[in-house]
Amino acid sequence: MEFCATWTCPGPDGPIHEHAAAFDRGRERRVLIVPALFEEQNRTRRLLVETMRRLDAAGLDSFLPDLPGCNESPQDFAHQSLHAWRRAMADATAQFAATQVLAVRGGALVFPAHLPGHVLEPVKGASLLRHLLRARVISGREAGEQLTIEGLLDQGREQGLILAGYRFNPAMIAGLEGALPAHEGQRTILLSELGGGAALWTRAEPGEDAAQAAALARIVAA
């Protein structure tokens, strides 16, 4: 059965206890799952928890940590950066004694690259940022604001920016602009390998797909 585990990572005033969903029976193969970023994280969580159940049945332990500043994390998102998330995921990898990693979408940007593993449909940081900026422009125009992607980006680089309900600081904006997925031996998994179906990260609301979860678990466990 899924349960909540804890781990620690650096915070502004010292170590912070963070949460993780876990299936831990002390087995040899242990998978750290790095979630997708921002709103895609919420949309794919059910998929990842179901994947963890399938991995458990296949004999693998798995851990899905909260990124600092997200979900149940006690930290402030406005203080986060990709660098901080990379360090946090490296800490989680060590504390859970992970032997491999599965990263989803933007999670590939903070992948603990010293371990082997898989990345599901990795995406560049600039692509994630542009998507968030486009959504902000559209919502602004509906409210009568005359916004442009370039103008918002300039503001974000200097002052930070609220996108999709998240307060991005300038360091997060700058990090996303140049961030590329890890490519150090990680095996890329395409959505087409999961048997078809919609990309859950594109949906307006969180969803689930048992067939995709089963296929993803089979690939990771192979």
Side-chain angles (χ1 to χ4, degrees):
M1 179 177 293
E2 174 197 356
F3 64 92
C4 185
T6 59
W7 56 288
T8 60
C9 72
D13 300 312
I16 298 290
H17 292 286
E18 297 284 2
H19 300 282
F23 287 81
D24 187 3
R25 303 179 192 273
R27 291 170 290 197
E28 181 178 351
R29 295 184 64 186
R30 301 168 69 80
V31 184
L32 184 84
I33 300 177
V34 183
L37 306 185
F38 317 127
E39 79 273 27
E40 292 188 1
Q41 184 173 177
N42 298 325
R43 294 170 185 167
T44 56
R45 188 170 181 85
R46 293 181 191 173
L47 171 70
L48 295 182
V49 171
E50 182 58 30
T51 299
M52 293 171 72
R53 292 194 180 99
R54 305 292 180 125
L55 290 172
D56 180 54
L60 285 73
D61 291 342
S62 59
F63 308 86
L64 175 59
D66 288 339
L67 291 167
C70 302
N71 293 331
E72 300 299 320
S73 172
Q75 299 197 54
D76 189 344
F77 179 89
H79 296 156
Q80 303 307 314
S81 66
L82 292 184
H83 173 74
W85 282 351
R86 290 187 190 104
R87 183 172 59 174
M89 291 300 96
D91 287 346
T93 296
Q95 291 171 51
F96 291 126
T99 59
Q100 63 192 88
V101 179
L102 167 64
V104 180
R105 298 280 292 160
L109 303 174
V110 295
F111 193 109
H114 64 286
L115 283 180
H118 300 77
V119 291
L120 172 60
E121 288 285 354
V123 62
K124 295 179 181 179
S127 297
L128 283 177
L129 183 57
R130 286 277 167 176
H131 172 77
L132 292 167
L133 291 168
R134 281 195 298 269
R136 178 68 181 87
V137 167
I138 292 171
S139 64
R141 287 176 179 170
E142 291 174 349
E145 299 177 276
Q146 297 301 312
L147 303 176
T148 66
I149 289 177
E150 292 72 20
L152 288 172
L153 193 52
D154 286 342
Q155 178 185 338
R157 290 169 179 151
E158 295 180 5
Q159 307 170 17
L161 197 61
I162 295 177
L163 298 170
Y166 294 93
R167 185 176 294 277
F168 287 68
N169 61 39
M172 182 67 84
I173 296 289
L176 285 169
E177 284 193 272
L180 298 174
H183 285 293
E184 299 182 24
Q186 293 80 24
R187 199 277 226 191
T188 297
I189 302 172
L190 302 177
L191 180 63
S192 59
E193 297 179 71
L194 304 186
L200 296 178
W201 51 85
T202 64
R203 294 184 178 180
E205 299 292 336
E208 54 191 305
D209 190 314
Q212 288 185 8
L216 183 56
R218 282 196 299 270
I219 293 172
V220 172

